[in-house]
C-alpha cells in the first residue's frame, strides 16, 4: 500500500512540475536565450532578428518537450518537424555546427535546472525529477541529431548553390543547349548528364502551395521552404550522382538521372516519399514528373511535359507522374467536352446510375477487360461466381446495346469510364477552409498519387 501511494505521489509531483514549466514557458525561453548568448560567442555576435528566431525555436522545443513528457510517450519526428528550416537558417547565418549543437546543450541545461528548482526538497519532488531525466536526455539526443543532419544537408546544398554552375547548367539545358566545355560540362558530368550520352532521365517541377506553416519571419517566407524542398529533392538521385536541383524563380526544377537498375517507378516513389516528408514539416508542394527522356537533348520537351501535368495535381498538393499512367489514361484526363458528348447517352446513363449504386457494373467491365475477355478469370478477380459475372454482362448489353465480347464495343465502354473518372465533380467548400474540395476523379488518384491518397479537382497552381 505504501509503494502504491508513493508512486501516486511521485506522479502527482511530476505533473505539478511539468504544469508549472508549461505556465512559465515564455520566461523559461528568455532564460535559455540569455544563457546561449552568454556561453556561445557565435550567438552573442548575432543581431536581434537572429535572437528572436532562436527564442521562437526554444519556445517550440520546450513546448514539444513538455507535450512528450506530459503524455508520457517517445518523441517523434512530427514533434520536431520545425527543426529542419531552423537548421537551414543557422547554416545560412554562418553559425558553426558546433555552436548550433551547443545551443541544444545549453537549452537542455536551463530546462533541467528549472525542473530541479521546481522539484524542491521533498522526496516525492526529487524522485519525480529523476523520472524526467532519461526522457529529457532522449529528447535532446533525438532533436540535436536531426538538427545536425538537416544542418549538414543544407550546408552541402548551399555550398553547391554558392557557385552559379548549377543554375547556368539548368538554363543551358532548358534552352536546348548541350554543355561541351568548361565548368558547365564538369557540372553536367557531376550530375550524370554527360552531353554525348542517351542517359534516361526525368524532369521534375515542384511549386510551393500556399503560405508554408511554421516558417520563421523573414522577407520571403516561401524562400526558405523552396530551398529546403530543393535540397531534399537533390538527394533523390539513383545513379550514384547528386540530382541537379535548382530553385528557379517560383518553381523548383530537378533533373534526376535513372540508374542502371532503377526504373522510373522507383524514382517516382522516392520523389513521392520526399513530398510526404516535406508535407509533415508544413511544406506543401505540387509536383509534376515528365516521361522518361533519352539524354539532355530531350530536356526542353520533358520540362514542358512536367509543367503541363501540374494541372492534374489536386488543390492540397501531390504528385502527378506521367510514368505512372498509360497513354489511354492521359488522353482521358486531357479530353474536352466534345469527347464526352460523343459518348452514347445510354452508356453515360448506365455509368452514372452504377456509380451512385457502388460501381458494380463498372468494376465488372474493368475486370473483364483486364482478364482479356475471359469470364472465369474476371469472376475470380471480382471474387464472384461466373454466373453472376455473366448476368452482369447481360445487364450491361441490355442497357447500352454494347457487347463486351466485341472489341469495338468494349473500347467504347472503357473510354466512357475513363472520361467519367476524369470528369471533376461539382466543387463545394471544404470544411473549415472555405476552399474547394471534391470526392470524384478516382481515376486521377490512381494515375497520379497511386495507392497513396485521393485526387481532387483540376487546379492551376500559378499563372502560366
Amino acid at each position: 500500500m505504501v509503494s502504491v501511494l508513493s508512486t501516486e505521489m511521485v506522479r502527482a509531483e511530476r505533473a505539478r512540475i511539468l504544469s508549472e514549466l508549461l505556465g512559465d514557458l515564455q520566461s523559461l525561453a528568455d532564460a535559455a536565450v540569455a544563457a546561449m548568448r552568454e556561453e556561445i560567442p557565435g550567438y552573442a555576435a548575432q543581431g536581434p532578428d537572429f535572437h528572436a528566431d532562436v527564442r521562437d525555436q526554444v519556445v517550440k522545443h520546450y513546448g514539444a518537450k513538455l507535450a512528450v513528457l506530459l503524455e508520457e510517450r517517445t518523441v517523434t519526428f512530427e514533434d520536431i518537424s520545425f527543426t529542419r528550416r531552423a537548421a537551414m537558417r543557422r547554416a545560412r547565418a554562418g553559425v558553426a555546427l558546433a555552436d548550433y549543437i551547443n545551443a541544444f546543450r545549453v537549452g537542455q541545461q536551463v530546462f533541467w535546472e528549472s525542473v530541479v528548482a521546481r522539484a524542491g526538497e521533498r522526496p516525492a519532488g526529487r524522485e519525480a525529477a529523476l523520472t524526467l531525466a532519461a526522457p529529457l536526455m532522449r529528447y535532446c539526443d533525438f532533436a540535436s541529431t536531426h538538427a545536425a543532419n538537416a544542418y549538414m544537408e543544407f550546408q552541402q546544398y548551399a555550398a553547391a548553390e554558392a557557385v552559379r554552375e548549377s543554375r547556368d547548367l539548368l538554363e543551358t539545358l532548358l534552352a536546348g543547349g548541350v554543355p561541351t566545355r568548361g565548368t558547365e560540362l564538369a557540372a553536367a558530368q557531376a550530375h550524370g548528364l554527360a552531353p554525348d550520352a542517351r542517359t534516361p532521365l526525368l524532369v521534375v517541377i515542384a511549386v510551393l502551395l500556399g503560405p508554408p506553416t511554421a516558417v520563421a519571419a523573414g522577407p520571403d517566407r516561401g524562400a526558405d521552404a523552396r530551398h529546403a524542398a530543393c535540397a531534399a529533392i537533390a538527394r533523390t538521385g539513383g545513379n550514384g550522382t547528386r540530382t541537379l536541383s535548382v530553385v528557379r524563380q517560383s518553381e523548383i526544377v530537378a533533373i534526376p538521372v535513372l540508374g542502371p537498375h532503377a526504373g522510373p517507378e522507383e524514382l517516382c516513389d522516392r520523389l513521392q516519399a520526399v513530398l510526404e516528408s516535406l508535407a509533415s514539416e508544413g511544406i506543401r508542394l505540387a509536383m509534376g514528373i515528365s516521361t522518361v527522356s533519352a539524354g539532355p537533348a530531350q530536356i526542353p520537351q520533358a520540362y514542358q511535359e512536367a509543367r503541363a501535368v501540374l494541372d492534374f495535381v489536386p488543390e492540397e498538393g501531390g504528385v502527378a507522374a506521367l510514368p505512372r499512367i498509360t497513354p489511354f489514361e492521359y488522353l482521358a484526363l486531357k479530353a474536352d467536352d466534345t469527347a464526352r458528348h460523343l459518348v452514347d447517352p445510354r452508356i453515360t446513363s448506365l455509368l452514372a446510375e452504377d456509380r451512385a449504386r457502388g460501381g458494380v457494373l463498372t468494376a465488372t467491365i474493368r475486370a473483364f477487360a483486364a482478364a482479356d475477355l475471359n469470364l472465369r478469370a474476371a469472376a475470380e478477380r471480382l471474387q464472384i461466381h461466373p454466373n453472376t459475372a455473366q448476368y452482369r454482362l447481360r445487364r450491361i448489353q441490355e442497357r447500352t446495346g454494347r457487347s463486351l465480347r466485341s472489341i469495338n464495343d468494349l473500347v467504347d465502354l472503357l473510354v466512357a469510364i475513363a472520361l467519367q473518372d476524369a470528369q471533376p465533380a461539382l466543387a463545394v467548400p471544404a470544411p473549415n477552409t472555405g476552399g474547394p474540395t471534391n470526392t470524384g476523379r478516382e481515376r486521377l488518384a490512381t494515375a497520379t498519387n497511386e495507392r497513396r491518397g485521393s485526387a481532387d479537382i483540376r487546379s492551376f497552381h500559378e499563372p502560366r
Side-chain angles (χ1 to χ4, degrees), residues 150-299:
Y151 179 102
M152 293 300 296
E153 176 185 293
F154 182 77
Q155 193 174 57
Q156 292 171 1
Y157 165 74
E161 278 291 289
V163 292
R164 297 187 57 87
E165 282 87 345
S166 293
R167 294 188 183 205
D168 291 344
L169 171 61
L170 178 66
E171 294 302 327
T172 297
L173 294 171
L174 292 179
V178 177
T180 57
R181 56 189 178 143
T183 57
E184 279 193 11
L185 177 58
Q189 292 173 335
H191 291 99
L193 297 167
D196 57 345
R198 294 179 58 81
T199 305
L201 54 86
L202 301 173
V203 172
V204 179
I205 297 179
V207 294
L208 193 65
L209 298 180
T213 59
V215 179
D220 183 359
R221 292 188 167 203
D224 282 352
R226 273 189 290 272
H227 283 288
C230 188
I233 293 172
R235 295 186 293 108
T236 58
N239 196 27
T241 58
R242 186 177 178 84
T243 293
L244 177 64
S245 183
V246 175
V247 174
R248 187 174 184 258
Q249 298 178 352
S250 63
E251 66 184 12
I252 300 165
V253 180
I255 307 178
V257 173
L258 298 177
H261 305 296
E265 280 284 349
E266 181 181 337
L267 182 56
C268 289
D269 288 344
R270 289 203 298 271
L271 289 166
Q272 179 85 40
V274 167
L275 182 136
E276 292 171 356
S277 175
L278 291 169
S280 71
E281 301 174 32
I283 301 176
R284 295 188 302 113
L285 297 176
M287 183 181 291
I289 304 176
S290 73
T291 59
V292 178
S293 296
Q298 296 183 10
I299 286 176

Side-chain angles (χ1 to χ4, degrees), residues 30 150 185 224 234 350 374 430:
D30 289 335
L185 177 58
D224 282 352
L350 173 70
N374 185 310

